[in-house]
Amino acid sequence: MTRPRTLYEKIWDAHVVEQRPDGTCLIFIDRHLVHEVTSPQAFAGLRASGRTVRRPDLTLAVPDHNVPTTARLDAAGGRLPIADPESAAQLAALEKNAPEYGIRYIDAVAPEQGIVHVVGPEQGFSLPGTTIVCGDSHTACHGGIGALAFGIGTSEVEHVLATQTLLLQPAKTMEVRVEGEVGPGVTAKDIILHITGTIGAAGGTGHVIEYTGSAIRALSVEGRLTVSNMAIEGGARAGLIAPDETTFAYLKGRPYAPKGADWDAAVAWWKSLATDPGAAYDKVVVIDAADIAPSVTWGTSPEDVVPITGVVPDPASFADPSKQVAAAKSLAYMGLEPGTRMQDVRIENIFIGSCTNSRIEDMRAAAAIVKGRKKADNVKWAIVVPGSGLVKAQAEAEGLHRIFTDAGLEWREPGCSACLAMNPDKVPAGERCASTSNRNFVGRQGPGSRTHLVSPAMAAAAAVTGKLTDVRELMA
Amino acid sequence: MTPLNQVEGRAIPLGLKNVDTDVIIPAHWLKTTTREGMGRGAFESLRADPDNLFDRPEYKGAPILIAGDNFGCGSSREHAAWALGDLGIRVVIAPSYSDIFSGNAVKNGILPVVLPQAAIDRLMEVAATDPVFVDLAHQTVTTQYQDRFAFEIDPFRKMCLLEGLDEISLTEKSDAAISAYEKQLDADRPWMRPATV
C-alpha cells in the first residue's frame, strides 16, 4: 500500500527526472511563461554560451509589465510608438528573442495579449497537475487551477530555456483550510488578505500552501486564481487548489487545452491528484470564513491587514519588537496615525487591475458598485485595467466599460500597469491609492506612493466615496 | 560565477524585517536588458535619507549585510541579487529569507547565512565598530571578540558557492535522463503537450 500523499507531493513525484544524492531533484517543467522584464538577460546568456531553447513548444511569451495601457494603435490601425525608450527596448528585445528561438509569442497588439498570469489559464496553456514557471513571483497564481506554479529568477529562466528542468529541493507542505460561508461583500481577495494577515508575510516560507475547505471550494476559478496569486505574499513560493468540476468546466474548450479523448484522459488524471485521505501536512492553519470581513491594508507589508471596520493599529500593540519598529516606519511612510478609523482614510487614486484582480468577475464586481454612481471629486485618478484583451472584449460586450466611464473612471488597455508602475501608470508621491493589486511595499506604485490593498468591489466603493469604505454599505 | 569561501570586512547593520525586493531594487531600475550597474538603484528609498547606512564612509563597499526576518520577500527579480553584488555584498546574514531570493543569491555567488535573532542582535552590535568574519567551508560567522556562530546550509548550495558552479552545465550532464523523461511523458500523458491551435 502506498503512503497517502498530498496534492503537492503527487505533482512533485510525477515530475522528478532525477534525484541527486544530496536530495536535490531535477524537476521537469511543463510550461514556461516568459515576459519582457526578466527574460532579456536569460536570452543573452543562451546566446553567449551558444545554447538553444530545448522545448520552445512548452514556452509562451507575452509582453505585459511595460506596455502602456493607453491606446496602442492609431485611427488607421498603425502601431503607436512607446514613449519611454527603456520600456521600448525591453519590449523590442522580447519581440526579437521569441521568434529567434521559435517560441510562441503573443504580440502587444494581439487580441489575446494580457498579463501573463491571466493569459495562461485563459488560453488553456496552464493546466492542472503541470509544473509552471515564469520569471515573476505571482506565477503562484496558476495554483488556482491546481498547477504547481512558482516564480523564478532570471538564472532559472535561462536554466529552463536551456534544459526544460530546474534543480529544486522539495518544499514543506502547509494546509490553509477556510471552512464555512463568507458573508456579503466578502470576496476571494478578502479571503487571501485575511489569510496573509493571519499567517504573516513569512508564514508560508519554505512551504507550498494548499488552500482547502468549503469556502475555497465555493470560489469560481477567477476567485481561486486570486487566492493562489497571493500565496507568495504569505511567503509560500506556490499555492495550490485541488482541481475539480469547477476547474474542468473553466478549462474545457480553451485553445491549448486537450481535446476529445485527450480531454477525458486528462480529467481522469487530474481527478487522481487530490490529496489522499489521511495525508499529513507539515503545518495546518484553520480559518472560519465567518471571521473574514471586507479587508484593507494599513502598512507597507501585505501582512498589515485589518477589517474595513477596524482602526490603524498602534505599533506598541505588537508583541514582536522588530514588528513594532517596522509598524512605526510603515505608519510614518503611510502618513497614518494609530487609532484612525480605516473608513476615515481619504483616497486620491484608484487602481482596479493586476494579475490578482483583473478577470471578468473582478470587472463585474467593481461595475456593480460603480453603476449609477459618480467618482468622488477628491479622487483624481481612477483607472480600470482589464487583465487581457479577451477580458476587455467580454467586459465591453456586457457594457461594463460604459458603467466605468459614465462614473468618471478610465477604461484602459490590458497590462500590469500601476501594480508595479513600470509603465507610465504611477501613483504620485505622498498620495494614496486603493488598489486591487498584491503589494503595498514602499514605492511599489511609484516613488513615495501609499497603497491600500483591497478587493475590486472595495476599490470601486472608494472611487465613489473618496475614502476607504465598507462596501456592504453600498450594496443593494 | 565567482567562488566564495571566506569573507571578512565591515557588515552593514541594516537590521530591518521584511526588506522586500522593491526596497532592494525598485521596479523602474528593472528596465534594462543587462545585469550590470544595478548598484546605483540599490536601496534607493533608504538612500534618499542623506544619513543612510549604505553611504556612510565606514560601510562603503562593505561585503556583508545584516538584516531582519524575511529578507528579500516579494518579487522574483534576480535584479535584487545583482544589485547587492554590484554594491560589493557577498554575504547577507538574517534570521530568514524569501525562498526565491535565497536561490537567486546563491546563483550569483552571494551567501545567505541564516542565524537566530539573538546572534543577529550581537552581530549588529559588533558591526557598528568592527569587522565580521564569514567562513563557508566551516559554516561559521565569527568576530574578534570570541563570538562564534555556526550556521546550516543546504549541501548542494554550499558546493555551488564554494566551486562557483554553473548549474546549467551541471544539468546538461543529465541530458539522457531528461530525454528519457520526455519520452515517457509523451507515452503516459500525451495530452500534456499544448493542443495545436
Side-chain angles (χ1 to χ4, degrees):
Chain A
M1 201 184 87
T2 50
R3 182 181 65 85
R5 291 180 299 165
T6 63
L7 170 60
Y8 167 73
E9 291 169 307
K10 290 183 189 183
I11 301 177
W12 175 271
D13 290 349
H15 288 86
V16 175
V17 173
E18 213 173 51
Q19 183 165 9
R20 296 174 50 89
D22 59 27
T24 306
C25 290
L26 194 62
I27 293 295
F28 191 76
I29 301 301
D30 296 311
R31 300 287 187 270
H32 188 187
L33 301 164
V34 176
H35 64 84
E36 79 277 18
V37 179
T38 56
S39 65
Q41 294 89 346
F43 284 110
L46 287 185
R47 213 166 272 130
S49 57
R51 292 181 170 116
T52 57
V53 174
R54 184 181 179 99
R55 294 295 300 270
D57 61 319
L58 302 182
T59 313
L60 175 69
V62 59
D64 56 7
H65 284 61
N66 276 274
V67 292
T69 56
T70 47
R72 291 173 197 162
L73 296 173
D74 62 22
R79 288 178 80 136
L80 289 163
I82 289 172
D84 179 351
E86 289 180 306
S87 290
Q90 268 194 343
L91 292 163
L94 186 61
E95 197 168 330
K96 172 179 166 291
N97 286 328
E100 185 179 329
Y101 288 96
I103 294 168
R104 48 184 117 224
Y105 176 65
I106 298 175
D107 191 87
V109 295
E112 306 83 16
Q113 183 271 341
I115 306 171
V116 65
H117 309 309
V118 175
V119 170
E122 190 174 77
Q123 292 296 319
F125 191 74
S126 309
L127 295 175
T130 56
T131 47
I132 304 179
V133 296
C134 174
D136 188 287
S137 60
H138 291 111
T139 309
C141 193
H142 308 258
I145 56 162
L148 177 58
F150 49 89
I152 56 177
T154 298
S155 294
E156 290 174 309
V157 171
E158 187 179 338
H159 194 283
V160 175
L161 288 172
T163 70
Q164 204 58 35
T165 63
L166 279 176
L167 281 159
L168 297 168
Q169 284 279 355
K172 290 189 213 133
T173 56
M174 177 169 175
E175 179 188 26
V176 174
R177 192 159 72 232
V178 189
E179 290 289 1
E181 257 182 68
V182 295
V186 177
T187 67
K189 181 62 163 289
D190 302 296
I191 295 176
I192 191 61
L193 285 173
H194 183 91
I195 291 171
T196 311
T198 305
I199 69 173
T205 303
H207 294 74
V208 166
I209 298 179
E210 182 178 346
Y211 302 95
T212 66
S214 53
I216 301 293
R217 297 253 69 83
L219 292 173
S220 65
V221 165
E222 286 85 350
R224 295 174 187 191
L225 292 167
T226 298
V227 168
S228 197
N229 177 278
M230 288 182 66
I232 185 69
E233 265 48 75
R237 202 169 177 181
L240 277 171
I241 294 171
D244 60 8
E245 294 302 332
T246 304
T247 322
F248 309 146
Y250 172 91
L251 287 170
K252 193 168 187 180
R254 304 239 169 215
Y256 294 113
K259 310 279 190 299
D262 276 350
W263 172 260
D264 297 334
V267 169
W269 190 68
W270 294 337
K271 284 182 175 169
S272 75
L273 296 174
T275 294
D276 294 325
Y281 298 88
D282 295 303
K283 211 169 172 180
V284 177
V285 173
V286 182
I287 288 170
D288 184 348
D291 291 342
I292 306 175
S295 299
V296 57
T297 60
W298 53 267
T300 57
S301 167
E303 71 184 17
D304 298 338
V305 176
V306 285
I308 182 63
T309 49
V311 299
V312 176
D314 185 340
S317 67
F318 294 99
D320 170 9
S322 68
K323 184 64 193 176
Q324 293 176 1
V325 174
K329 274 182 185 288
S330 283
L331 292 188
Y333 180 82
M334 294 295 290
L336 290 172
E337 293 296 329
T340 304
R341 281 166 22 103
M342 292 312 297
Q343 293 177 81
D344 292 339
V345 175
R346 285 166 69 85
I347 295 290
E348 296 87 29
N349 302 275
I350 305 289
F351 173 56
I352 299 174
S354 87
C355 57
T356 314
N357 280 128
S358 62
R359 296 175 185 83
I360 189 66
E361 184 180 288
D362 302 316
M363 300 291 117
R364 288 174 187 150
I369 298 299
V370 163
K371 192 172 185 178
R373 297 188 169 103
K374 293 283 180 203
K375 177 176 76 64
D377 290 338
N378 63 302
V379 173
K380 297 193 280 190
W381 190 68
I383 62 169
V384 184
V385 184
S388 72
L390 298 187
V391 170
K392 182 168 186 262
Q394 177 65 33
E396 289 177 356
E398 296 177 20
L400 305 182
H401 63 311
R402 294 255 177 271
I403 296 176
F404 291 123
T405 53
D406 287 351
L409 282 70
E410 294 176 45
W411 179 244
R412 296 289 190 97
E413 297 295 320
C416 300
S417 182
C419 174
L420 83 171
M422 281 195 75
N423 80 344
D425 305 337
K426 291 177 180 34
V427 175
E431 292 190 10
R432 289 179 200 290
C433 183
S435 177
T436 67
S437 54
N438 38 57
R439 289 191 176 133
N440 50 353
F441 294 162
V442 168
R444 172 79 178 184
Q445 296 194 286
S449 59
R450 294 165 167 171
T451 303
H452 295 280
L453 300 176
V454 290
S455 74
M458 288 279 285
V464 298
T465 64
K467 58 192 183 66
L468 294 175
T469 297
D470 189 337
V471 67
R472 292 172 293 198
E473 292 170 10
L474 299 186
M475 287 167 61
Chain B
M1 190 175 97
T2 324
L4 177 139
N5 185 7
Q6 292 172 331
V7 176
E8 73 169 89
R10 293 302 295 269
I12 306 166
L14 181 63
L16 293 175
K17 178 188 168 110
N18 287 334
V19 174
D20 61 67
T21 47
D22 282 73
V23 164
I24 301 172
I25 185 88
H28 68 97
W29 287 94
L30 273 48
K31 291 198 224 182
T32 163
T33 53
T34 67
R35 297 175 184 232
E36 285 78 35
M38 289 282 152
R40 285 177 296 136
F43 300 102
E44 189 176 57
S45 58
L46 299 176
R47 287 165 84 185
D49 173 0
D51 190 35
N52 76 85
L53 282 171
F54 296 91
D55 294 316
R56 284 190 200 163
E58 64 267 38
Y59 296 121
K60 266 274 191 244
I64 302 168
L65 177 70
I66 307 175
D69 249 323
N70 203 22
F71 184 82
C73 61
S75 140
S76 63
R77 60 188 69 163
E78 194 162 325
H79 310 64
W82 299 337
L84 294 180
D86 200 37
L87 278 185
I89 291 168
R90 299 299 312 274
V91 179
V92 184
I93 306 176
S96 67
Y97 300 86
S98 90
D99 297 328
I100 306 180
F101 172 80
S102 59
N104 284 340
V106 169
K107 287 177 179 62
N108 289 277
I110 296 171
L111 165 65
V113 172
V114 177
L115 285 178
Q117 189 61 47
I120 300 290
D121 293 343
R122 169 60 188 156
L123 290 170
M124 291 276 290
E125 209 172 38
V126 173
T129 48
D130 296 296
V132 168
F133 307 88
V134 178
D135 185 326
L136 174 58
H138 296 98
Q139 300 180 208
T140 57
V141 177
T142 54
T143 72
Q144 65 198 54
Y145 301 103
Q146 321 293 311
D147 299 295
R148 187 178 182 282
F149 303 107
F151 62 87
E152 295 297 318
I153 182 168
D154 167 61
F156 179 70
R157 285 185 169 182
K158 182 176 178 179
M159 178 190 77
C160 288
L161 282 165
L162 285 172
E163 296 178 18
L165 207 66
D166 164 14
E167 276 191 18
I168 299 180
S169 305
L170 189 72
T171 299
E172 280 174 340
K173 292 180 188 161
S174 300
D175 185 65
I178 300 171
S179 297
Y181 180 93
E182 287 173 320
K183 207 174 151 195
Q184 194 61 47
L185 180 62
D186 277 343
D188 292 349
R189 296 191 289 280
W191 50 264
M192 284 280 254
R193 281 181 184 253
T196 348
V197 179

